[in-house]
Amino acid sequence: MIVQWILLKLFGVLFLIIIGLYLYFKLIVFNFWRRKGVLYEEPTFPTGNITAAIFNKKSIHNIFEEIYIKHKSYPFVGAYSFFKPTLVINDPNLIRFVMAKEFSSFHDRGMYCNEKIDPLSGHLFLLPGAKWKSLRTRLTPTFTSGKIKHMFETLQENGILLEKFLEKKVHEKEEIAIKEIFACFFTDIIMSIAFGINCNCLEHPESEFRYWGKKVFEPKPFVNTTMIFASKIMEIFSIPLNDKGVIKFFMKTFEETVQYRDKHNIERRDFLNLIMQLMKNGYVKNDEESETDLVKDTSPELEKFSMSEAAAQAFVFYVAGFETTSSTVTFCLYELALNQDIQKKTQEEIDRVLKKHGGISYNAINEMTYLHMVICETLRKYPPLPILNRICTKDIELPNSNVVISEGTPVVIPILGIHRDSNIYPEPEKFIPERFTEEQIRARHHYTYLPFGEGPRICIGMRFALIQTKVALTNALNKFVFLPGTKTPSKLELTAGTITLNTKCEMYLQIQQRS
């Protein structure tokens, strides 16, 4: 009887707490935008407008795409993410206001990172404030055209291996899993450039490097949604962003590689070498300075990278470098398989340019204007990061309104919705590379195409990502034709629980030798 009485009391208290929370959310939290006079999407208790994402019912990208489509005639619309009022920005001029013009009021992403419990989370993409600014300044020289040109040889060495691998697949006469092949291909490239390791995942997809790479991008609906919209919850409970096995493996791999290079005085023209310069000197040598030049006049104010800081930058280069580019190449080949006329036109340009240059080279790749348009259209239809996040870092009034955005308010830019808006891109479901002629680009608002973001936080590795994407496609399309097969999906459904754009099903295509 006493136990029953205690349980009854506990249920009673719990019931009162839930009722109290419900009333608090309904009358106070979910009244925020109404009090400000801002149109908003009706929330549900207790997670606002992102409930379907948390419970793995729908991707967060589709949720904000739907909000955009429903309210795109308004410059901005209110939404709720957990207990936080969130502002969705629809208007291109307002997007420019947030991302560039008033960047000082929106310079942080507001996403979770905790370097103490998860050192790999302390990288450029996530870090806020002064630390981000300092890191950005010092990392920018690692992605100059000269540095990328030095890395091109490694890219093309892997491109040749890709060509040989695809030739074997042609003889097997089976439909091939495009996403997995290119994920392995880009893992090989990035592990070589960022860690100085030849892992050969293309021939050995069961490699531990591929295993841990997959682990990073496993769907984690609650963790990923919380990381973006409720970082305080992650902070309070000290939840690491990355799997503990991932942290241990990449920290150990990076440390051992750095120590090996140091011990044997190994220098390669790759990203790891540049990171090691930041560890030793606090800065990266410019493109004109010889790799063997002695460091002169080093400022004592330049803080050198610690091992964990350096590992975090190599890690984000790795995860961004293989995942987003493999997805882009996968989506691109899928569209080319469905649009044989566009594939043929792309191949004709590749043939013409390679004949002129005598093979694949840095200059040849950069001369392929139609291939560039094909990639741009792929990134339009399938943006790797379908939403962009900012957080208001100081109170500011939005232009042409009397609405003041308070410090700490999350801001979402629904890229997927904008990129698929028929008012901006007629017949958005169609794959039309000619949308990206110089004339068409000039005719559109600059902030209606954002696959790499914009403003001071634009993707630092954009040029490298485009080059390695072009190398992959040039090697793939130079000798092979891609066609839809019996297992090729007719409709692509997005995976829920991931930050980047992914599909639920594997992408199978037929491959044939070009005649």
Side-chain angles (χ1 to χ4, degrees):
M1 285 292 291
I2 295 173
V3 173
Q4 287 179 329
W5 181 83
I6 291 170
L7 285 173
L8 241 114
K9 286 287 184 183
L10 286 172
F11 279 123
V13 169
L14 186 63
F15 179 74
L16 288 172
I17 289 170
I18 291 169
I19 291 293
L21 279 172
Y22 175 80
L23 291 172
Y24 173 72
F25 271 70
K26 195 76 175 170
L27 301 176
I28 298 174
V29 175
F30 291 161
N31 253 325
F32 181 86
W33 292 122
R34 183 180 294 172
R35 289 196 301 271
K36 281 188 174 284
V38 173
L39 176 78
Y40 64 96
E41 183 75 2
E42 197 64 44
T44 56
F45 175 79
T47 50
N49 302 111
I50 59 173
T51 307
I54 293 165
F55 291 101
N56 213 26
K57 302 283 186 186
K58 191 183 289 186
S59 80
I60 195 73
H61 325 310
N62 283 142
I63 289 173
F64 283 99
E65 180 189 18
E66 289 167 7
I67 291 173
Y68 172 82
I69 290 166
K70 187 175 176 182
H71 303 289
K72 66 181 181 180
S73 58
Y74 297 89
F76 51 85
V77 60
Y80 294 92
S81 309
F82 289 105
F83 48 85
K84 300 209 80 163
T86 301
L87 192 70
V88 182
I89 303 290
N90 299 331
D91 178 64
N93 287 319
L94 201 50
I95 294 171
R96 178 170 55 192
F97 177 83
V98 168
M99 299 185 77
K101 192 177 178 183
E102 290 297 332
F103 177 75
S104 60
S105 297
F106 300 95
H107 54 72
D108 293 346
R109 295 189 190 276
M111 297 165 78
Y112 173 73
C113 73
N114 187 326
E115 296 169 86
K116 290 180 182 177
I117 62 167
D118 183 355
L120 294 181
S121 70
H123 54 68
L124 190 64
F125 184 80
L126 294 178
L127 284 171
K131 193 154 189 178
W132 164 80
K133 188 176 181 181
S134 170
L135 194 58
R136 177 82 185 204
T137 302
R138 290 192 286 162
L139 283 174
T140 296
T142 64
F143 289 101
T144 61
S145 297
K147 297 289 194 300
I148 293 170
K149 200 169 184 177
H150 288 159
M151 298 177 198
F152 188 82
E153 188 179 337
T154 304
L155 295 181
Q156 184 47 19
E157 282 171 3
N158 282 276
I160 293 166
L161 294 175
L162 172 69
E163 197 176 289
K164 290 176 180 176
F165 180 83
L166 292 176
E167 197 149 3
K168 285 193 290 186
K169 291 294 176 185
V170 168
H171 297 310
E172 290 173 11
K173 295 182 178 179
E174 292 180 356
E175 292 178 33
I176 59 172
I178 291 291
K179 175 67 190 285
E180 183 57 25
I181 287 171
F182 283 95
C184 289
F185 168 69
F186 286 115
T187 298
D188 287 344
I189 287 178
I190 299 299
M191 285 307 299
S192 177
I193 289 175
F195 288 85
I197 293 170
N198 181 14
C199 57
N200 199 11
C201 291
L202 205 53
E203 293 292 345
H204 304 285
E206 71 285 355
S207 158
E208 59 182 343
F209 299 103
R210 182 71 191 114
Y211 171 80
W212 292 112
K214 283 181 181 177
K215 199 79 176 168
V216 173
F217 287 96
E218 279 181 349
K220 297 176 284 188
F222 180 77
V223 169
N224 285 335
T225 310
T226 308
M227 182 266 285
I228 298 171
F229 296 109
S231 58
K232 285 289 180 190
I233 294 174
M234 304 270 288
E235 195 73 53
I236 290 166
F237 293 101
S238 294
I239 302 170
L241 187 57
N242 294 294
D243 177 89
K244 287 181 180 178
V246 169
I247 298 168
K248 184 179 177 182
F249 174 75
F250 281 102
M251 287 297 294
K252 182 173 179 284
T253 301
F254 182 81
E255 192 169 341
E256 286 177 352
T257 307
V258 167
Q259 288 169 353
Y260 182 83
R261 281 202 184 185
D262 266 339
K263 185 178 178 181
H264 296 88
N265 295 315
I266 295 170
E267 279 200 10
R268 288 178 58 189
R269 288 181 162 182
D270 58 14
F271 183 74
L272 179 57
N273 182 47
L274 302 175
I275 289 293
M276 287 176 69
Q277 287 181 35
L278 286 162
M279 294 174 74
K280 291 174 184 176
N281 312 321
Y283 76 98
V284 171
K285 297 172 188 175
N286 61 44
D287 290 336
E288 289 73 37
E289 193 174 356
S290 166
E291 291 293 328
T292 56
D293 280 350
L294 292 173
V295 178
K296 298 173 183 177
D297 303 321
T298 306
S299 169
E301 294 176 12
L302 286 173
E303 192 177 336
K304 298 172 185 178
F305 274 18
S306 67
M307 185 65 76
S308 60
E309 285 174 322
Q313 309 324 310
F315 176 72
V316 74
F317 182 68
Y318 164 75
V319 294
F322 92 79
E323 173 59 26
T324 57
T325 43
S326 61
S327 294
T328 299
V329 170
T330 300
F331 288 127
C332 187
L333 290 176
Y334 171 73
E335 288 291 348
L336 292 178
L338 298 180
N339 298 276
Q340 287 294 307
D341 55 330
I342 299 174
Q343 184 173 172
K344 187 178 178 184
K345 190 174 178 180
T346 307
Q347 288 170 322
E348 285 170 353
E349 180 189 63
I350 289 170
D351 294 344
R352 187 173 64 253
V353 174
L354 294 189
K355 186 179 179 182
K356 175 184 171 182
H357 287 267
I360 298 174
S361 65
Y362 181 80
N363 291 333
I365 290 287
N366 282 316
E367 203 174 297
M368 296 177 188
T369 53
Y370 192 72
L371 176 64
H372 184 76
M373 288 159 59
V374 166
I375 292 168
C376 287
E377 175 66 347
T378 304
L379 292 168
R380 192 273 308 170
K381 196 171 178 184
Y382 308 100
L385 280 178
I387 62 171
L388 282 179
N389 300 80
R390 293 292 185 268
I391 193 162
C392 185
T393 50
K394 61 182 179 185
D395 293 4
I396 189 168
E397 185 175 305
L398 297 179
N400 304 316
S401 77
N402 58 357
V403 176
V404 174
I405 301 302
S406 310
E407 180 182 341
T409 303
V411 172
V412 170
I413 295 152
I415 294 177
L416 189 63
I418 294 166
H419 281 198
R420 297 183 178 185
D421 185 345
S422 58
N423 294 335
I424 302 168
Y425 299 98
E427 299 181 291
E429 72 288 348
K430 289 189 177 180
F431 190 79
I432 309 172
E434 286 73 18
R435 297 184 205 271
F436 292 92
T437 61
E438 287 185 15
E439 184 183 13
Q440 287 287 324
I441 291 169
R442 281 196 301 270
R444 282 192 302 271
H445 196 293
H446 183 65
Y447 281 74
T448 56
Y449 181 68
L450 300 162
F452 295 101
E454 257 302 342
R457 282 197 93 134
I458 192 170
C459 174
I460 195 172
M462 176 178 70
R463 282 184 290 188
F464 180 80
L466 287 171
I467 283 289
Q468 67 167 352
T469 300
K470 289 174 183 178
V471 167
L473 288 169
T474 301
N475 279 281
L477 295 167
N478 184 27
K479 292 187 177 178
F480 309 103
V481 176
F482 294 84
L483 302 156
T486 56
K487 294 192 280 185
T488 304
S490 56
K491 188 179 179 183
L492 302 181
E493 194 176 345
L494 298 185
T495 305
T498 58
I499 295 171
T500 54
L501 193 79
N502 274 305
T503 56
K504 284 186 177 179
C505 57
E506 177 55 87
M507 190 77 73
Y508 284 93
L509 293 176
Q510 286 185 19
I511 182 171
Q512 294 177 1
Q513 199 91 33
R514 283 183 70 189
S515 54

